[in-house]
Amino acid sequence: MAKSGPVNVAMIGLGWWGKKMTAVLQKAADDIKIVCAAEPNPAGAEFAAANGFAHYATMKEALAHPSVEAVILATPHSLHDEQIRMAVAAKKHIFCEKPLALTRRGAEAAVKACARNKLVLGMGHERRWEPPVAKMLAMARSGELGRIQQVEGNFSHDKFTTLDKKNWRLNQKEAPVGGMTATGIHLTDLAAALLGEARDLRVSCEKLSSKIPQGDTMSVHIRFKKGGTAYVSASLAMPFISRFAVFGSKGWIEIRDKAHVEAPAGWVVTSAMAGGPITVTEVPPAEPVKDNLVAFAHAVRGNAAYPITGKDLVTNISILEAIIKSAAKDGAVVKL
């Protein structure tokens, strides 16, 4: 008999984003419930107690919790491969923060392992759940925007400039190309959702306004196998901006966030259809981080398929791997 009620999860990692997800899940108690967490920092025990769930120092201990059905990985990228293997071995569904892996091979291994064991693999690409983004994707898929020709996006902030230089988010091995793994990965996910698999790309990554070792300002130009291009940029030393625009033969849409997804404040959407005027619409705040996690829980319960496919995940990590290669070659064109 299929299970019902909220999906019981273990939160692996109680850093900035693990705490953010803990907070938003308080609004989704009917769908998903944190029953324990794994966090090696002793401060995690106090946070767990304050939020009413058990605390363990290791993921192995959390996986052994008798009611855990799934894990949420809010951990450094380099740990994902091993943590996914552990979760699959324990037959637990997995929601992984981005990026899934740093190589196509790693992404394929994760996707295949979950599929082989009939486990749901969710991904922290909450941008797809932002109401104007979801509407834009639906319009593109229905053909309402015509032939998609070009995508542009910039997702930048300066939240990392005050971090301790030993923080993993500033580690060149963990985040090798400026803001790509922190923010740009969301934009390439949307670009690939609109235009498919990439053909080739080239990258610029520079250290212009900070001491961040992997650079603070990056941009990538991508050409796609079925035609169309994307220009994506991200800075780790710039006041917050999040802009995504798609241009089609029948219409175009530009979406601007009013604030970081950490504290959503809504969006400003500018658009035009062929023969019509340019319009500006304000969209009220929503909670896409929560909505993504709820979609994951619904997939675990078998109520609906998780909308980000394994192919989507592999395609995006293929782009990330090529971006890392191009940056290492001083911006040389890399074919996929």
Side-chain angles (χ1 to χ4, degrees), residues 11 16 32 39 68 90 92 199 204 208 247 267 303-304 316:
M11 181 69 72
W16 167 46
I32 188 167
E39 170 53 59
V68 166
K92 309 301 182 186
R199 174 165 62 121
S204 172
L208 299 176
F247 302 92
W267 299 264
N303 297 326
N316 196 26

Side-chain angles (χ1 to χ4, degrees), residues 166-184:
K166 295 180 181 179
N167 189 288
W168 69 268
R169 295 178 185 276
L170 302 181
N171 184 299
Q172 196 161 7
K173 292 183 179 179
E174 290 281 1
V177 187
M180 186 58 213
T181 51
T183 57

Side-chain angles (χ1 to χ4, degrees), residues 60-94:
K60 182 178 180 180
E61 293 172 290
L63 288 171
H65 189 287
S67 64
V68 166
E69 302 172 74
V71 297
I72 298 175
L73 302 180
T75 53
H77 325 318
S78 62
L79 302 180
H80 290 171
D81 286 352
E82 177 60 23
Q83 290 176 337
I84 289 171
R85 283 194 290 269
M86 290 173 63
V88 169
K91 304 297 183 184
K92 309 301 182 186
H93 302 279
I94 300 162

Side-chain angles (χ1 to χ4, degrees), residues 21 58 100 249:
M21 288 192 284
T58 68
L100 176 63
S249 59

